Amino acid sequence: MKKPAATRQKEKTQIEQLSQAELVEMVLGLQKIIEELQEKLAIATGKSRTTSQTSSIPPSTDLLQKPEKPTLKPEEDQKKKPGGQPGPDGKNSKRVWTSRQNRN
């Protein structure tokens, strides 16, 4: 959201009238705000520096995250051949009779 040019010029004039000490305080305050927002963004995007995997905190303190699924490259898809495994054709083999089955 852009501010109108007149408003920006007024703010610029007000900032130019500040003393050096006031400007230093303003910059330090803005740096603190930027750091806080960066931390919040890192947490929101799941890229926090401290998770249960990177520190000794318990997993229950982690935010809910879906694990990323590995993606297959098109080259890997082409290496796989369709169909079942090689081997017998699936027909029943000859039945072997035991002595117990031959008794009447």
Side-chain angles (χ1 to χ4, degrees), residues 26-87:
M26 180 185 287
V27 169
L28 292 175
L30 291 173
Q31 283 180 336
K32 183 178 179 182
I33 292 171
I34 289 171
E35 289 172 2
E36 291 171 358
L37 290 174
Q38 285 175 336
E39 288 176 11
K40 287 181 181 181
L41 181 63
I43 291 170
T45 58
K47 296 180 182 174
S48 177
R49 288 179 235 136
T50 55
T51 64
S52 62
Q53 294 179 349
T54 59
S55 69
S56 62
I57 61 173
S60 61
T61 60
D62 288 344
L63 297 175
L64 294 178
Q65 298 176 5
K66 292 183 179 179
E68 293 183 17
K69 294 182 180 179
T71 56
L72 294 177
K73 297 178 182 176
E75 302 151 0
E76 293 176 5
D77 290 338
Q78 294 174 358
K79 292 179 183 177
K80 295 181 182 179
K81 295 181 181 178
Q85 296 179 348

Side-chain angles (χ1 to χ4, degrees), residues 4-15:
T7 305
R8 284 188 304 224
Q9 185 61 34
K10 184 178 178 184
E11 289 175 352
K12 183 179 177 183
T13 305
Q14 288 174 347
I15 292 173

